[in-house]
Coordinates of all heavy atoms in Angstrom, one line a residue:
Chain V
H3 N 106.2 85.9 111.3 CA 105.1 86.5 110.5 C 103.8 85.7 110.4 O 102.7 86.2 110.4 CB 105.6 86.8 109.1 CG 104.7 87.7 108.2 ND1 104.2 88.9 108.7 CD2 104.2 87.6 107.0 CE1 103.4 89.4 107.8 NE2 103.4 88.7 106.8
Q6 N 101.9 86.2 113.4 CA 101.2 87.6 113.3 C 100.0 87.5 112.5 O 98.9 88.1 112.8 CB 102.2 88.6 112.7 CG 103.4 88.9 113.6 CD 104.4 89.8 112.9 OE1 104.5 89.9 111.7 NE2 105.1 90.6 113.7
L7 N 100.1 86.8 111.3 CA 98.9 86.7 110.5 C 97.8 85.8 111.1 O 96.6 86.1 110.9 CB 99.3 86.1 109.1 CG 100.2 87.0 108.2 CD1 100.4 86.4 106.9 CD2 99.6 88.4 108.0
Q10 N 95.9 88.0 113.5 CA 94.9 88.9 112.7 C 93.7 88.0 112.3 O 92.6 88.5 112.5 CB 95.6 89.5 111.5 CG 94.7 90.3 110.7 CD 95.4 90.9 109.4 OE1 95.5 92.1 109.4 NE2 95.8 90.0 108.5
A11 N 94.0 86.8 111.8 CA 92.9 86.0 111.4 C 92.0 85.6 112.5 O 90.7 85.5 112.4 CB 93.4 84.7 110.7
D14 N 89.7 88.5 113.1 CA 88.7 88.6 112.1 C 87.7 87.4 112.1 O 86.9 87.3 111.2 CB 89.4 88.7 110.7 CG 90.1 90.0 110.6 OD1 89.7 91.0 111.3 OD2 91.1 90.1 109.9
E16 N 88.4 84.3 111.4 CA 88.6 83.4 110.2 C 89.3 82.1 110.5 O 89.7 81.4 109.6 CB 89.5 84.2 109.2 CG 88.9 85.4 108.6 CD 88.3 85.2 107.2 OE1 88.3 84.0 106.7 OE2 87.7 86.1 106.6
N37 N 100.2 92.9 122.7 CA 100.3 94.3 122.3 C 99.9 94.5 120.8 O 99.2 95.4 120.4 CB 101.7 94.9 122.5 CG 102.0 95.1 124.0 OD1 101.1 95.3 124.8 ND2 103.3 95.1 124.3
L38 N 100.4 93.5 120.0 CA 100.1 93.6 118.6 C 98.6 93.4 118.4 O 98.0 94.1 117.6 CB 100.9 92.6 117.8 CG 100.6 92.5 116.3 CD1 101.0 93.8 115.6 CD2 101.4 91.4 115.6
E41 N 96.7 96.5 119.1 CA 96.9 97.5 118.1 C 96.0 97.2 116.9 O 95.2 98.0 116.4 CB 98.3 97.6 117.6 CG 98.5 98.7 116.6 CD 99.8 98.4 115.7 OE1 100.9 98.7 116.2 OE2 99.6 98.0 114.5
L42 N 96.0 95.9 116.5 CA 95.1 95.5 115.4 C 93.6 95.7 115.7 O 92.9 96.1 114.8 CB 95.4 94.0 115.0 CG 96.7 93.6 114.4 CD1 96.9 92.1 114.4 CD2 96.9 94.3 113.1
F44 N 92.2 97.9 117.9 CA 91.8 99.3 118.0 C 91.7 99.9 116.6 O 90.9 100.8 116.2 CB 92.5 100.2 119.0 CG 93.9 100.7 118.7 CD1 94.1 101.5 117.6 CD2 95.0 100.3 119.5 CE1 95.4 102.0 117.3 CE2 96.2 100.7 119.2 CZ 96.5 101.6 118.1
T45 N 92.6 99.5 115.7 CA 92.6 100.0 114.3 C 91.4 99.6 113.6 O 90.7 100.4 112.9 CB 93.9 99.5 113.5 OG1 95.0 99.8 114.3 CG2 94.0 100.2 112.2
R46 N 91.1 98.3 113.8 CA 89.8 97.8 113.1 C 88.6 98.5 113.7 O 87.8 98.9 112.9 CB 89.7 96.3 113.4 CG 88.6 95.6 112.5 CD 88.4 94.2 112.8 NE 87.7 94.0 114.1 CZ 87.1 92.9 114.4 NH1 87.0 91.9 113.5 NH2 86.5 92.7 115.5
A48 N 88.3 101.4 115.1 CA 88.3 102.8 114.6 C 87.8 102.9 113.2 O 86.9 103.8 112.9 CB 89.7 103.4 114.7
L49 N 88.2 102.0 112.3 CA 87.8 102.1 110.9 C 86.3 101.7 110.8 O 85.6 102.3 110.1 CB 88.7 101.1 110.1 CG 90.1 101.7 109.8 CD1 91.0 100.6 109.4 CD2 90.0 102.7 108.6
V50 N 86.0 100.6 111.4 CA 84.6 100.0 111.2 C 83.6 101.1 111.7 O 82.5 101.3 111.0 CB 84.4 98.7 112.0 CG1 83.0 98.3 112.0 CG2 85.3 97.6 111.3
E51 N 83.9 101.8 112.8 CA 82.9 102.7 113.3 C 83.0 104.1 112.8 O 82.1 104.9 113.1 CB 83.1 102.7 114.9 CG 82.7 101.4 115.5 CD 82.9 101.3 117.0 OE1 83.4 102.4 117.5 OE2 82.7 100.3 117.6
N52 N 84.0 104.4 112.0 CA 84.2 105.8 111.6 C 84.5 105.9 110.1 O 85.5 106.6 109.8 CB 85.3 106.4 112.4 CG 84.9 106.5 113.9 OD1 84.1 107.3 114.3 ND2 85.5 105.6 114.7
E53 N 83.8 105.2 109.3 CA 84.0 105.3 107.9 C 83.8 106.8 107.4 O 82.8 107.4 107.7 CB 83.1 104.4 107.1 CG 83.3 104.4 105.7 CD 82.3 103.6 104.9 OE1 81.6 102.8 105.4 OE2 82.3 103.8 103.6
P54 N 84.8 107.3 106.7 CA 84.6 108.7 106.3 C 83.4 108.9 105.3 O 83.2 107.9 104.6 CB 85.9 109.0 105.5 CG 86.9 108.0 106.0 CD 86.1 106.8 106.3
E55 N 82.7 110.0 105.4 CA 81.5 110.2 104.5 C 81.8 111.2 103.5 O 82.5 112.2 103.8 CB 80.4 110.6 105.4 CG 79.8 109.5 106.3 CD 78.7 109.9 107.2 OE1 78.5 111.2 107.4 OE2 78.0 109.1 107.7
F56 N 81.4 111.0 102.3 CA 81.5 112.0 101.2 C 80.2 112.2 100.5 O 79.5 111.2 100.3 CB 82.6 111.5 100.2 CG 83.9 111.2 100.8 CD1 84.3 109.9 101.1 CD2 84.8 112.2 101.1 CE1 85.5 109.6 101.7 CE2 86.0 112.0 101.6 CZ 86.4 110.7 102.0
K57 N 80.0 113.4 100.2 CA 78.7 113.7 99.4 C 79.1 113.9 98.0 O 80.1 114.5 97.6 CB 78.1 115.0 100.0 CG 77.5 114.8 101.4 CD 76.2 115.6 101.5 CE 75.5 115.4 102.8 NZ 74.9 114.0 103.0
L58 N 78.2 113.4 97.1 CA 78.4 113.6 95.7 C 78.3 115.1 95.3 O 77.3 115.7 95.7 CB 77.3 112.8 95.0 CG 77.5 112.5 93.5 CD1 77.2 111.1 93.2 CD2 76.7 113.4 92.6
P59 N 79.4 115.6 94.7 CA 79.4 117.0 94.5 C 78.6 117.6 93.3 O 79.0 118.5 92.6 CB 80.9 117.3 94.2 CG 81.4 116.0 93.6 CD 80.5 114.9 94.2
E60 N 77.4 116.9 93.0 CA 76.6 117.4 91.9 C 75.1 117.4 92.4 O 74.8 116.5 93.3 CB 76.7 116.5 90.7 CG 78.0 116.8 89.9 CD 78.2 115.8 88.8 OE1 77.4 114.9 88.6 OE2 79.2 116.0 88.0
S61 N 74.3 118.2 91.9 CA 72.9 118.2 92.3 C 72.2 117.0 91.8 O 72.6 116.3 90.9 CB 72.2 119.4 91.7 OG 72.0 119.2 90.3
R62 N 71.1 116.6 92.5 CA 70.3 115.4 92.2 C 69.9 115.5 90.7 O 70.0 114.5 90.0 CB 69.0 115.4 93.1 CG 68.1 114.3 92.7 CD 66.9 114.3 93.6 NE 65.9 113.3 93.1 CZ 65.0 112.8 93.9 NH1 64.9 113.0 95.2 NH2 64.1 111.9 93.4
F65 N 73.0 115.1 88.2 CA 73.5 113.7 88.2 C 72.6 112.8 87.5 O 73.0 112.0 86.7 CB 73.8 113.3 89.7 CG 74.5 112.0 89.8 CD1 75.8 111.8 89.3 CD2 74.0 110.9 90.4 CE1 76.5 110.6 89.4 CE2 74.6 109.7 90.6 CZ 75.9 109.6 90.0
W66 N 71.3 112.9 87.8 CA 70.3 112.0 87.2 C 70.2 112.2 85.7 O 70.1 111.3 84.9 CB 68.9 112.2 87.9 CG 67.8 111.5 87.1 CD1 66.8 112.0 86.4 CD2 67.7 110.0 86.9 NE1 66.0 111.0 85.9 CE2 66.6 109.8 86.1 CE3 68.5 108.9 87.4 CZ2 66.2 108.5 85.8 CZ3 68.1 107.7 87.0 CH2 67.0 107.5 86.2
K68 N 72.5 113.0 83.7 CA 73.7 112.3 83.0 C 73.4 110.8 82.9 O 73.7 110.2 81.9 CB 75.0 112.6 83.8 CG 75.4 114.0 83.7 CD 76.9 114.2 84.1 CE 77.2 113.8 85.5 NZ 78.6 113.9 85.9
I69 N 72.9 110.3 84.0 CA 72.6 108.8 84.0 C 71.5 108.5 83.0 O 71.6 107.5 82.2 CB 72.1 108.4 85.4 CG1 73.3 108.5 86.4 CG2 71.6 106.9 85.4 CD1 72.9 108.4 87.9
E72 N 72.8 108.6 79.5 CA 73.6 107.4 79.2 C 72.8 106.2 79.0 O 73.0 105.4 78.1 CB 74.6 107.2 80.4 CG 75.7 106.2 80.2 CD 76.7 106.6 79.2 OE1 77.0 107.8 79.0 OE2 77.3 105.6 78.5
I73 N 71.7 106.0 79.8 CA 70.8 104.9 79.7 C 70.2 104.9 78.3 O 70.1 103.9 77.6 CB 69.8 104.8 80.8 CG1 70.4 104.5 82.2 CG2 68.6 103.9 80.5 CD1 69.5 104.6 83.4
T76 N 72.6 104.0 75.5 CA 72.9 102.5 75.4 C 71.7 101.7 75.0 O 71.8 100.7 74.3 CB 73.4 102.0 76.8 OG1 72.5 102.4 77.8 CG2 74.8 102.5 77.1
E77 N 70.5 102.2 75.3 CA 69.3 101.5 74.9 C 69.0 101.7 73.4 O 68.4 100.8 72.7 CB 68.1 101.9 75.7 CG 68.1 101.2 77.1 CD 66.9 101.6 78.0 OE1 66.2 102.5 77.6 OE2 66.8 100.9 79.0
Chain P
M24 N 61.2 104.4 85.3 CA 62.4 105.2 85.5 C 62.3 106.2 86.7 O 63.3 106.5 87.3 CB 62.8 105.9 84.2 CG 63.7 105.2 83.3 SD 64.6 106.3 82.3 CE 66.1 105.5 82.1
F27 N 63.4 104.3 89.6 CA 64.9 104.2 89.6 C 65.5 105.5 90.0 O 66.5 105.5 90.7 CB 65.3 103.7 88.2 CG 66.8 103.4 88.1 CD1 67.2 102.3 88.9 CD2 67.7 104.1 87.4 CE1 68.6 101.9 88.9 CE2 69.0 103.7 87.4 CZ 69.5 102.6 88.1
E28 N 65.0 106.6 89.5 CA 65.6 107.9 89.9 C 65.5 108.1 91.4 O 66.4 108.6 92.0 CB 64.8 109.1 89.2 CG 65.5 110.4 89.5 CD 64.7 111.6 89.2 OE1 63.5 111.5 88.8 OE2 65.1 112.7 89.5
E29 N 64.4 107.6 92.0 CA 64.3 107.7 93.5 C 65.4 106.9 94.2 O 66.0 107.3 95.2 CB 62.9 107.3 93.9 CG 62.6 107.3 95.4 CD 62.8 108.7 96.1 OE1 62.6 109.7 95.4 OE2 63.3 108.7 97.2
A32 N 68.7 108.8 93.9 CA 68.7 109.9 94.8 C 69.0 109.4 96.2 O 69.7 110.1 97.0 CB 67.4 110.7 94.8
R35 N 72.9 107.7 96.1 CA 74.0 108.2 95.3 C 75.2 108.6 96.2 O 76.3 108.4 95.7 CB 73.5 109.4 94.4 CG 73.0 110.6 95.2 CD 72.3 111.6 94.4 NE 72.4 112.9 95.0 CZ 73.0 113.9 94.5 NH1 73.4 113.9 93.3 NH2 73.1 115.1 95.2
D36 N 74.9 109.2 97.4 CA 76.1 109.6 98.2 C 76.9 108.4 98.6 O 78.1 108.4 98.6 CB 75.6 110.4 99.4 CG 75.2 111.8 99.0 OD1 75.7 112.3 98.0 OD2 74.4 112.4 99.8
Y39 N 78.9 107.0 95.7 CA 80.0 107.9 95.3 C 81.1 107.8 96.4 O 82.3 107.8 96.1 CB 79.5 109.4 95.3 CG 80.6 110.4 95.2 CD1 81.3 110.6 94.0 CD2 80.9 111.1 96.3 CE1 82.3 111.5 93.9 CE2 82.0 112.1 96.3 CZ 82.7 112.2 95.1 OH 83.7 113.1 95.0
R41 N 81.8 105.3 98.3 CA 82.6 104.1 98.1 C 83.6 104.2 97.0 O 84.8 103.9 97.2 CB 81.7 102.9 97.9 CG 82.3 101.6 97.6 CD 83.2 101.1 98.8 NE 82.5 100.8 100.0 CZ 82.5 101.6 101.1 NH1 83.3 102.7 101.2 NH2 81.8 101.2 102.2
Y43 N 84.9 107.0 95.9 CA 85.9 108.0 96.2 C 86.9 107.4 97.2 O 88.1 107.6 97.1 CB 85.3 109.3 96.8 CG 86.3 110.3 97.1 CD1 86.8 111.1 96.1 CD2 86.9 110.5 98.4 CE1 87.9 112.1 96.4 CE2 87.9 111.4 98.7 CZ 88.4 112.2 97.6 OH 89.4 113.1 97.9
L53 N 83.3 110.2 90.4 CA 82.0 110.6 89.8 C 81.7 109.7 88.6 O 80.6 109.2 88.4 CB 82.1 112.1 89.3 CG 81.5 113.1 90.2 CD1 81.9 114.5 89.8 CD2 80.0 113.0 90.3
Q57 N 78.6 107.0 88.3 CA 77.6 107.2 87.3 C 77.5 105.9 86.4 O 76.4 105.4 86.2 CB 78.0 108.4 86.3 CG 77.0 108.6 85.3 CD 77.5 109.7 84.2 OE1 78.1 110.6 84.6 NE2 77.2 109.4 83.0
V61 N 74.3 103.2 85.7 CA 73.8 102.8 84.4 C 73.8 101.3 84.3 O 72.9 100.6 83.8 CB 74.7 103.4 83.3 CG1 74.3 102.9 81.9 CG2 74.6 104.9 83.3
W64 N 70.9 99.7 86.2 CA 69.6 99.8 85.4 C 69.6 98.6 84.4 O 68.6 98.0 84.2 CB 69.5 101.1 84.7 CG 68.4 101.2 83.7 CD1 68.4 101.0 82.4 CD2 67.0 101.3 84.0 NE1 67.2 101.1 81.8 CE2 66.3 101.3 82.8 CE3 66.3 101.5 85.2 CZ2 64.9 101.4 82.7 CZ3 64.9 101.7 85.1 CH2 64.2 101.6 83.9
Q65 N 70.7 98.4 83.7 CA 70.8 97.4 82.7 C 70.6 96.0 83.3 O 70.2 95.0 82.7 CB 72.1 97.4 81.9 CG 72.2 98.7 81.0 CD 73.6 99.0 80.6 OE1 74.6 98.5 81.1 NE2 73.7 99.8 79.5
E114 N 106.1 95.9 107.4 CA 105.2 96.0 108.6 C 105.8 95.2 109.8 O 105.4 95.5 110.9 CB 103.8 95.4 108.2 CG 103.7 93.9 108.0 CD 104.1 93.5 106.6 OE1 104.7 94.3 105.9 OE2 103.7 92.4 106.3
R115 N 106.7 94.3 109.5 CA 107.3 93.6 110.6 C 108.3 94.4 111.4 O 108.6 94.2 112.6 CB 108.0 92.3 110.1 CG 107.1 91.1 110.0 CD 107.7 90.0 109.3 NE 107.5 90.1 107.9 CZ 108.0 89.3 107.0 NH1 108.9 88.4 107.4 NH2 107.7 89.4 105.7
V119 N 105.1 98.5 117.7 CA 103.6 98.4 118.0 C 103.2 99.7 118.6 O 103.9 100.3 119.4 CB 103.4 97.2 119.0 CG1 102.0 97.2 119.5 CG2 103.7 95.9 118.3
I120 N 102.0 100.2 118.2 CA 101.5 101.5 118.6 C 100.7 101.3 119.9 O 99.8 100.5 120.0 CB 100.5 102.1 117.6 CG1 101.2 102.3 116.2 CG2 100.0 103.5 118.1 CD1 102.5 103.2 116.2
N123 N 96.4 103.6 122.4 CA 95.5 103.8 121.2 C 95.4 105.3 120.9 O 95.0 106.1 121.6 CB 94.1 103.3 121.6 CG 93.1 103.4 120.5 OD1 93.3 104.0 119.5 ND2 91.9 102.9 120.8
P124 N 95.9 105.6 119.6 CA 96.0 107.1 119.3 C 94.6 107.6 119.0 O 94.5 108.9 118.8 CB 96.8 107.1 118.0 CG 96.7 105.7 117.4 CD 96.5 104.8 118.6
R130 N 84.2 112.3 117.1 CA 83.9 111.4 115.9 C 84.3 112.1 114.6 O 85.0 111.5 113.7 CB 82.4 111.1 115.9 CG 82.0 110.0 114.9 CD 80.5 109.8 115.0 NE 80.1 108.8 114.0 CZ 80.1 107.5 114.2 NH1 80.6 107.0 115.3 NH2 79.7 106.7 113.2
L133 N 88.1 112.1 114.3 CA 88.6 110.8 114.0 C 88.4 110.4 112.5 O 89.3 109.9 111.9 CB 87.9 109.8 114.9 CG 88.4 108.3 114.8 CD1 89.9 108.2 114.9 CD2 87.7 107.5 115.9
R134 N 87.2 110.7 112.0 CA 86.9 110.5 110.6 C 87.9 111.2 109.7 O 88.3 110.6 108.7 CB 85.5 110.9 110.3 CG 84.5 109.9 110.7 CD 83.1 110.2 110.2 NE 82.2 109.1 110.4 CZ 80.9 109.1 110.3 NH1 80.3 110.3 110.0 NH2 80.1 108.1 110.5
I137 N 91.2 109.4 109.8 CA 91.1 108.2 109.1 C 91.2 108.5 107.6 O 91.9 107.8 106.9 CB 89.9 107.4 109.5 CG1 90.0 106.8 110.9 CG2 89.6 106.2 108.5 CD1 88.8 106.1 111.5
D138 N 90.5 109.5 107.2 CA 90.5 109.9 105.8 C 91.9 110.3 105.3 O 92.4 109.8 104.2 CB 89.5 111.0 105.5 CG 89.4 111.4 104.1 OD1 89.4 110.5 103.2 OD2 89.3 112.6 103.8
H155 N 87.3 94.9 103.7 CA 87.2 94.1 104.9 C 86.5 94.9 106.0 O 85.5 94.4 106.6 CB 88.6 93.7 105.4 CG 88.4 92.6 106.5 ND1 88.3 93.0 107.8 CD2 88.3 91.3 106.4 CE1 88.2 91.8 108.5 NE2 88.2 90.8 107.7
E156 N 86.9 96.1 106.2 CA 86.4 96.9 107.3 C 85.0 97.6 107.0 O 84.1 97.7 107.9 CB 87.4 98.0 107.8 CG 88.8 97.5 107.9 CD 89.1 96.5 109.0 OE1 88.2 95.5 109.1 OE2 90.1 96.5 109.6
F157 N 84.9 98.1 105.8 CA 83.7 98.8 105.5 C 82.6 98.0 104.8 O 81.4 98.2 105.0 CB 84.0 100.0 104.5 CG 84.9 101.0 105.1 CD1 85.7 101.9 104.3 CD2 85.1 101.2 106.5 CE1 86.6 102.8 104.8 CE2 86.0 102.1 107.0 CZ 86.8 102.9 106.2
E161 N 84.6 88.6 103.7 CA 85.6 87.6 104.2 C 86.8 87.6 103.3 O 86.8 88.0 102.2 CB 85.0 86.2 104.3 CG 83.9 86.2 105.3 CD 83.2 84.8 105.3 OE1 83.5 84.0 104.5 OE2 82.4 84.6 106.2
Y162 N 87.9 87.0 103.9 CA 89.2 86.9 103.2 C 89.0 86.3 101.8 O 89.5 86.8 100.8 CB 90.2 86.1 103.9 CG 90.7 86.6 105.2 CD1 91.5 85.8 106.1 CD2 90.5 87.9 105.6 CE1 92.0 86.3 107.3 CE2 91.0 88.4 106.8 CZ 91.7 87.6 107.6 OH 92.2 88.1 108.8
M177 N 95.7 88.5 103.3 CA 96.0 88.6 104.8 C 97.3 89.5 105.0 O 97.3 90.3 105.9 CB 96.4 87.1 105.3 CG 95.1 86.3 105.4 SD 95.5 84.6 105.8 CE 95.8 84.6 107.5
L180 N 96.2 93.1 104.3 CA 95.4 93.7 105.4 C 96.2 94.0 106.6 O 96.0 95.0 107.3 CB 94.3 92.6 105.7 CG 93.2 93.0 106.7 CD1 92.4 94.3 106.2 CD2 92.2 91.9 107.0
F181 N 97.2 93.1 106.9 CA 98.0 93.2 108.0 C 98.9 94.5 107.9 O 98.9 95.3 108.8 CB 98.9 92.0 108.2 CG 99.8 92.0 109.4 CD1 99.2 91.8 110.7 CD2 101.2 92.2 109.4 CE1 100.0 91.8 111.8 CE2 101.9 92.1 110.5 CZ 101.4 92.0 111.7
R184 N 96.6 97.7 108.1 CA 96.2 98.0 109.5 C 97.4 98.6 110.3 O 97.2 99.6 111.0 CB 95.7 96.8 110.2 CG 94.2 96.4 109.9 CD 93.9 95.1 110.5 NE 92.4 94.9 110.4 CZ 91.9 93.7 110.5 NH1 92.7 92.6 110.6 NH2 90.6 93.6 110.4
R185 N 98.5 98.0 110.1 CA 99.7 98.5 110.9 C 100.1 99.9 110.4 O 100.4 100.7 111.2 CB 100.9 97.5 110.7 CG 100.6 96.1 111.2 CD 101.7 95.6 112.1 NE 101.9 96.5 113.3 CZ 103.0 96.6 113.9 NH1 104.0 95.9 113.6 NH2 103.1 97.4 115.0
A188 N 97.6 102.4 111.8 CA 97.9 102.6 113.3 C 99.0 103.6 113.4 O 99.0 104.6 114.2 CB 98.2 101.3 114.0

Side-chain angles (χ1 to χ4, degrees):
Chain V
H3 190 49
Q6 291 176 329
L7 293 182
Q10 175 179 249
D14 295 329
E16 294 263 1
N37 287 337
L38 178 62
E41 184 202 281
L42 293 171
F44 76 64
T45 310
R46 190 183 73 160
L49 283 161
V50 170
E51 293 175 0
N52 298 285
E53 182 184 347
E55 289 178 342
F56 301 99
K57 288 216 175 294
L58 196 135
E60 284 177 356
S61 71
R62 172 179 173 158
F65 187 61
W66 171 246
K68 290 199 297 179
I69 293 168
E72 189 69 28
I73 288 173
T76 51
E77 282 179 352
Chain P
M24 267 206 149
F27 189 64
E28 187 199 354
E29 179 58 34
R35 65 193 203 117
D36 284 338
Y39 169 76
R41 177 58 68 250
Y43 183 80
L53 260 171
Q57 183 188 320
V61 175
W64 171 260
Q65 290 165 342
E114 73 277 17
R115 272 171 269 172
V119 172
I120 305 298
N123 180 355
R130 195 180 174 84
L133 182 52
R134 277 189 171 167
I137 288 172
D138 182 39
H155 194 272
E156 317 296 38
F157 300 157
E161 292 179 353
Y162 293 170
M177 289 169 80
L180 187 59
F181 187 70
R184 278 176 170 156
R185 298 230 58 207

